[in-house]
Amino acid sequence: MHEYTKKELTGLITGKLRRNFGRDVDEATNLQMLKACALVIRDIMSERQMKTQDKVEQTHARQVHYLSLEFLMGRSLMKNAYNLGILEPLNEAIEGLGFSAPELFESEPDAGLGNGGLGRLAACYLDSMTTLDIPATGYSICYELGIFKQAIIGGQQVELADNWMGLGDAWLIPKIDETERVRFGGKVVTEWVDGRMKVDLLNYTSVMAVPHDMVIAGYGTEHTNVLRLWSAKSPNPIDMSLYSSGEYLKAVEQQAMAEVISKVLYPDDNHYEGKSLRLKQQYFFVSATVQSIVRKHRAQYGTLRNFHQKHVIQINDTHPTLVIPELMRILLDEEGYSWEEAWNIVTHTVAYTNHTILAEALERWPQQLVMDLLPRVWQIIVEISNRYQTELTTYFHGDISRVEKMAIIWGGNVHMANLCICACSAVNGVSALHSGILKREVFCDAYTRTPAKFKNVTNGIDHRRWLSSCNPKLDALIKECTGGDGYLLNPGLLADLAKYKDDGSVLHRLEEIKRDNKRSFAAYVARETGIQLNTDAMFDVQVKRLHEYKRQLLNVLHIIYEYQHLKHDPNFMIVPKVYLFGAKAAPGYYVAKEIIHLINSLAATINADPACKDKLQVVFLENYRVSLAEKLMPASELSEQISTAGKEASGTGNMKFMMNGAVTIGTLDGANVEMHEVLGDENIFLFGLKAHEVTELKNKGYQSYEYYMHNNDLRAVLDAMSHGFDDGISYEHLTKRLLFGDGCPPDEYLLLADFDSYRNAQKRAAEAYLDRKRWNQMSLMNVARSGIFAADRSIRDYARDIWHVPVRDVLQK
């Protein structure tokens, strides 16, 4: 493997500045310097990619195709340099050219092609697949505007466009010659030719899918992979006859209608137009992807009859489900295969990862919309549905109530998860608890019928990014204690830290590292916002998408409780606390946006009250994103993972906090269950109802109002929330939603039922924090037990149990 020196990199960067920007170093702007560095690293990776591609073709290796509507990549310059092993000489080269390396890395925009955990997981998995030498390609849409940039104005979320492409396009290699045509609408016509049915689509609208490839470098390997992002273009950029007659807007209407597909991540689908656009996005990217895979396969093998032996398509949640009928369409209509042969290929190619048990998140599309937009795909879905329904009716002896739950088309809707379960070779959940709920509840009849199909692969995170790279001081301590950098490829070696549990000097260093990280984060917040964080206080952190089941509101209720008691008793807070929130609410999710407003109202009141000085502080971190998380995780001390038990599929933020030595306060939900298994009761603060207790309480008839009537503290908190805070805004709507419901059951996520238990867990955490030795031991054990939550372990599980592909042997004993 070639090792680049400072001198070599300096020459390559100055060459890029001259050739690409016509600038010498002393004339170059920060942006030009950043792009030049990115292009140099892209060239290094591209050269390796060509060698990887040749090797895959020569060995006829089975390839993994990972389809996800989200890839939350974050920043790439520092990460790619780290993986390539050239971060140090790159730093030296940048500094030697008169630029600040930290400032340069900091100026790179996040590639925000995702909303949260789903997209970040996909990014972590790409890194691990590459590091483990698995031939893999990720596929998504090249959104011109990623997840919105969040501004907080007057305490409320305002969404701003996030144009990441200013620098982001430096990482993208357009492959114009591999453009695919995607067809929408039209009319299906059939005729019999030579004894078989020939299918044509007439009068359709074409959209061209142009691939842009982002090369992914693995750690400690020359192997690279690719993330292929499709952008939508019109085949006819302009109607010249309309343009010539002065109808300029109408002349470019077709272009605008095509390009809107890849304009923005996830349109709001509270209306028909939004639903239509989202379905177009889904079909656009899966159709382009399948056509591309098929084209390359046919060129190499001359037949598609071995397609399933050479490819596995993993669909990340239900968004790419249309890959199933689209691959069927190609095999039936273009290759002329029989239904049975095509179905055999498809069902041995596609596998499905489920990420949610929330009924509203299990996608279903109005059948009329599918018929109008995708008439041939609709016909194929109908045929799959009819055959499946016949099988189900026979299996369940005509019990329609059971058939209905598993039906693909029912009640005027196409149920995407059921289509996945019907067609996929494997269906996996993302934590042991979640997979169990899928088997016992959500898909219980499907599990009864085909139990071998259901698997579990607990999520994991890229520990090289989320520990080694973002927390260098802790990384150095780990290397010292575990005898080198072996843990970077074998995260199981983190377990060796446990033997230092009673080593006072190691515990002291761990505490110093946390203190330094808190100060660094506080300095960053002060620079960005002017807010001064109290670094002598415990940093209690809840950062994740804003959703009612994640229960940011429960955290808020407890803060109001503490504030009220602190007002009456100046000594109430035995440990000073800084509560840090970070969350984006979906633009159309009005309750979530109201909770953000509430947090900011409460924060303004508390932070202005002299009674709270150096005792209680609340800060909402604007525009939470990957690069902000990389600064925050190393500084965090108490990790809030407080979703209603049974609602969070897994979580990955919980793993990032754990790996950086934060202690979790949480329910037995998602991967918290497995965290508890490896940590024991003594290294985590558990509270709340368990998943089966949640079900039992709801079945008995949960009355949230009873908790309000019989708990004086809780009643005082809810009354205060109704009344509002210093800004005079009432949050009576949120209180009524908890007590009486609002188009949903009262307190649907059981905040009031878990309030007392949560309050007690917070008290236990504060008491433990006062005992510095005990707290540092808990912190150390969290790091030591986090190795199983590395994405490398997850990908090994997928490779062994679902994909059946070999992986690089890098594990050191």
Side-chain angles (χ1 to χ4, degrees):
M1 195 181 296
H2 181 73
E3 292 192 8
Y4 287 84
T5 63
K6 171 190 173 184
K7 184 179 178 184
E8 264 183 293
L9 290 172
T10 300
L12 291 169
I13 292 166
T14 52
K16 282 290 178 194
L17 284 170
R18 286 175 178 160
R19 286 190 299 276
N20 289 57
F21 304 103
R23 292 282 187 276
D24 283 319
V25 174
D26 54 356
E27 306 169 293
T29 65
N30 220 46
L31 179 63
Q32 289 166 342
M33 183 65 175
L34 188 60
K35 278 201 168 187
C37 291
L39 290 169
V40 165
I41 287 179
R42 192 184 85 176
D43 286 351
I44 294 169
M45 294 191 298
S46 295
E47 195 173 324
R48 293 185 179 186
Q49 172 55 23
M50 291 176 71
K51 291 177 184 172
T52 299
Q53 197 171 321
D54 289 344
K55 183 180 174 185
V56 171
E57 287 175 5
Q58 287 162 12
T59 58
H60 302 289
R62 191 178 202 209
Q63 298 175 52
V64 174
H65 305 277
Y66 196 88
L67 276 62
S68 178
L69 259 190
E70 301 183 32
F71 278 89
L72 197 53
M73 301 301 289
R75 293 170 174 165
S76 295
L77 182 59
M78 190 172 174
K79 174 60 175 168
N80 283 330
Y82 176 94
N83 274 5
L84 292 168
I86 62 172
L87 184 55
E88 196 174 320
L90 179 66
N91 273 323
E92 291 169 357
I94 292 168
E95 297 283 346
L97 290 169
F99 288 80
S100 162
E103 284 181 18
L104 202 69
F105 292 138
E106 185 64 29
S107 64
E108 181 180 2
D110 283 50
L113 308 182
N115 278 305
L118 183 83
R120 187 52 235 165
L121 181 81
C124 286
Y125 280 1
L126 263 186
D127 182 276
S128 286
M129 284 186 265
T130 311
T131 297
L132 294 175
D133 287 1
I134 296 173
T137 308
Y139 300 88
S140 194
I141 293 176
C142 191
Y143 303 104
E144 189 178 319
L145 304 173
I147 179 71
F148 61 84
K149 195 175 286 183
Q150 181 193 55
I152 300 298
I153 299 173
Q156 299 185 73
Q157 170 178 296
V158 175
E159 300 94 25
L160 306 174
D162 175 33
N163 188 356
W164 69 284
M165 294 286 279
L167 171 83
D169 63 353
W171 297 113
L172 301 177
I173 304 170
K175 298 284 181 75
I176 308 297
D177 57 317
E178 295 184 36
T179 296
E180 302 289 352
R181 182 184 297 271
V182 180
R183 303 181 300 175
F184 293 100
K187 182 184 176 185
V188 179
V189 293
T190 58
E191 60 176 321
W192 287 91
V193 178
D194 298 331
R196 77 177 185 90
M197 190 172 75
K198 184 172 182 294
V199 180
D200 271 327
L201 189 64
L202 305 178
N203 303 320
Y204 55 84
T205 301
S206 287
V207 176
M208 308 311 292
V210 181
H212 302 262
D213 287 356
M214 181 184 287
V215 184
I216 307 295
Y219 176 78
T221 177
E222 295 241 339
H223 185 93
T224 60
N225 283 319
V226 165
L227 170 59
R228 171 157 284 196
L229 302 171
W230 298 100
S231 68
K233 301 291 179 190
S234 169
N236 307 307
I238 193 167
D239 186 320
M240 285 307 297
S241 61
L242 288 170
Y243 189 86
S244 300
S245 62
E247 295 186 67
Y248 305 125
L249 290 177
K250 203 164 179 57
V252 294
E253 186 177 55
Q254 189 177 347
Q255 179 189 23
M257 290 304 290
E259 294 183 3
V260 75
I261 290 172
S262 57
K263 183 68 72 175
V264 181
L265 170 77
Y266 280 173
D268 193 338
D269 66 352
N270 291 341
H271 42 73
Y272 182 85
E273 291 75 12
K275 281 186 172 64
S276 174
L277 178 53
R278 193 176 286 202
L279 185 62
K280 277 184 179 175
Q281 286 185 332
Q282 293 186 3
Y283 182 69
F284 166 77
F285 110 92
V286 301
S287 177
T289 295
V290 176
Q291 289 183 67
S292 172
I293 299 168
V294 164
R295 192 180 306 283
K296 290 177 183 177
H297 180 93
R298 198 190 287 112
Q300 184 172 6
Y301 295 103
T303 176
L304 297 189
R305 288 196 157 84
N306 64 342
F307 187 84
H308 55 296
Q309 295 163 3
K310 300 300 178 185
H311 305 277
V312 58
I313 295 173
Q314 187 71 41
I315 58 179
N316 196 28
D317 220 350
T318 51
H319 311 127
T321 303
L322 290 170
V323 75
I324 295 163
E326 177 65 4
L327 182 52
M328 283 295 289
R329 182 191 67 78
I330 290 170
L331 295 172
L332 294 169
D333 299 355
E334 296 180 12
E335 300 299 314
Y337 291 179
S338 69
W339 180 275
E340 288 70 24
E341 190 172 8
W343 186 245
N344 182 63
I345 291 170
V346 169
T347 55
H348 286 85
T349 300
V350 187
Y352 162 53
T353 300
N354 172 280
H355 282 278
T356 184
I357 62 165
L358 298 179
E360 67 270 21
L362 290 171
E363 283 190 306
R364 55 186 184 273
W365 293 106
Q367 68 181 55
Q368 191 62 50
L369 182 62
V370 182
M371 290 166 70
D372 293 345
L373 277 181
L374 312 168
R376 177 56 180 151
V377 165
W378 164 251
Q379 289 181 344
I380 292 168
I381 293 172
V382 169
E383 183 63 23
I384 295 170
S385 176
N386 289 344
R387 289 172 180 240
Y388 188 48
Q389 204 158 311
T390 300
E391 289 175 22
L392 294 176
T393 303
T394 303
Y395 183 83
F396 292 120
H397 308 293
D399 184 344
I400 295 301
S401 65
R402 299 180 80 179
V403 172
E404 178 185 351
K405 285 193 291 184
M406 293 178 63
I408 295 168
I409 301 172
W410 197 276
N413 288 305
V414 181
H415 296 262
M416 306 306 264
N418 288 347
L419 177 52
C420 289
I421 286 165
C422 165
C424 291
S425 59
V427 176
N428 74 280
V430 290
S431 74
L433 176 71
H434 172 233
S435 295
I437 291 171
L438 294 182
K439 292 173 186 177
R440 289 190 312 274
E441 299 175 27
V442 184
F443 303 131
C444 58
D445 286 334
Y447 174 66
T448 301
R449 185 169 172 266
T450 53
K453 185 179 282 197
F454 285 78
K455 321 273 187 187
N456 175 62
V457 181
T458 298
N459 282 347
I461 60 172
D462 172 8
H463 69 291
R464 290 171 289 273
R465 181 173 204 136
W466 291 106
L467 172 51
S468 174
S469 183
C470 76
N471 199 342
K473 291 178 181 175
L474 181 55
D475 173 64
L477 178 63
I478 292 167
K479 287 173 179 172
E480 199 176 309
C481 291
T482 61
D485 63 1
Y487 92 96
L488 295 175
L489 286 174
N490 182 2
L493 293 175
L494 286 169
D496 291 351
L497 286 173
K499 61 189 174 196
Y500 296 95
K501 184 182 175 186
D502 296 309
D503 186 318
S505 64
V506 169
L507 294 177
H508 176 70
R509 280 186 61 192
L510 188 68
E511 185 170 40
E512 285 295 308
I513 289 166
K514 184 63 73 176
R515 186 176 294 126
D516 288 348
N517 289 339
K518 286 170 70 177
R519 287 172 180 157
S520 295
F521 183 73
Y524 167 78
V525 170
R527 279 197 312 274
E528 293 294 311
T529 68
I531 296 169
Q532 301 292 328
L533 300 181
N534 176 15
T535 55
D536 293 326
M538 179 203 281
F539 279 14
D540 180 319
V541 184
Q542 188 174 19
V543 286
K544 51 186 76 238
R545 279 187 307 116
L546 203 308
H547 197 293
E548 287 166 279
Y549 84 83
K550 294 178 185 285
R551 300 204 297 190
Q552 284 93 344
L553 188 53
L554 176 59
N555 193 347
V556 172
L557 296 180
H558 179 256
I559 296 170
I560 297 171
Y561 159 78
E562 287 191 328
Y563 178 50
Q564 289 177 331
H565 282 261
L566 182 59
K567 292 287 282 181
H568 292 114
D569 176 7
N571 299 314
F572 178 74
M573 300 289 292
I574 61 171
V575 168
K577 304 270 295 269
V578 173
Y579 287 96
L580 296 166
F581 290 89
K584 290 180 179 178
Y589 191 174
Y590 300 111
V591 173
K593 294 174 93 165
E594 192 174 7
I595 292 169
I596 288 176
H597 198 184
L598 167 64
I599 294 168
N600 284 300
S601 289
L602 179 61
T605 298
I606 286 175
N607 298 342
D609 192 331
C612 298
K613 184 170 170 56
D614 298 329
K615 294 176 182 175
L616 182 61
Q617 188 177 15
V618 180
V619 175
F620 188 93
L621 300 165
E622 186 178 70
N623 198 34
Y624 182 62
R625 59 201 183 280
V626 173
S627 56
L628 178 54
E630 288 170 328
K631 297 177 179 65
L632 175 60
M633 296 295 172
S636 301
E637 292 177 290
L638 191 65
S639 161
E640 299 269 357
Q641 308 299 330
I642 61 176
S643 51
T644 314
K647 296 298 182 186
E648 186 73 82
S650 169
T652 47
N654 46 2
M655 302 168 186
K656 291 164 193 162
F657 283 112
M658 180 188 186
M659 214 169 252
N660 282 279
V663 183
T664 298
I665 181 168
T667 51
L668 278 172
D669 194 25
N672 292 358
V673 175
E674 287 150 275
M675 287 165 57
H676 173 242
E677 283 173 6
V678 297
L679 289 169
D681 290 341
E682 65 275 16
N683 294 307
I684 187 171
F685 300 106
L686 291 179
F687 76 93
L689 297 165
K690 299 176 177 64
H692 71 276
E693 293 170 336
V694 167
T695 305
E696 288 164 12
L697 180 58
K698 288 195 168 186
N699 288 342
K700 275 195 301 189
Y702 172 55
Q703 300 292 329
S704 59
Y705 195 76
E706 294 294 318
Y707 292 85
Y708 174 82
M709 292 303 296
H710 295 113
N711 186 323
N712 292 336
D713 285 332
L714 189 52
R715 188 162 62 253
V717 165
L718 291 171
D719 288 349
M721 187 166 78
S722 290
H723 183 265
F725 302 96
D726 287 358
D727 57 9
I729 295 164
S730 164
Y731 294 95
E732 187 178 11
H733 170 249
L734 291 176
T735 305
K736 284 184 173 176
R737 193 173 173 85
L738 291 174
L739 297 178
F740 309 112
D742 175 27
C744 62
D747 190 18
E748 186 174 5
Y749 298 107
L750 307 184
L751 281 67
L752 307 193
D754 275 349
F755 178 81
D756 261 351
S757 181
Y758 178 55
R759 174 172 59 176
N760 292 335
Q762 282 281 3
K763 189 169 184 288
R764 296 201 312 275
E767 288 164 353
Y769 193 78
L770 287 174
D771 182 344
R772 296 313 301 159
K773 181 182 178 184
R774 183 187 165 205
W775 185 270
N776 292 329
Q777 286 176 323
M778 294 176 79
S779 178
L780 182 84
M781 292 308 294
N782 269 268
V783 181
R785 297 284 184 254
S786 65
I788 66 161
F789 299 112
D792 289 4
R793 189 270 313 145
S794 304
I795 291 302
R796 286 179 185 282
D797 290 352
Y798 275 108
R800 181 189 65 239
D801 299 335
I802 297 175
W803 302 338
H804 309 299
V805 295
V807 300
R808 170 185 173 206
D809 183 16
V810 294
L811 295 183
Q812 301 173 24
K813 299 290 183 271

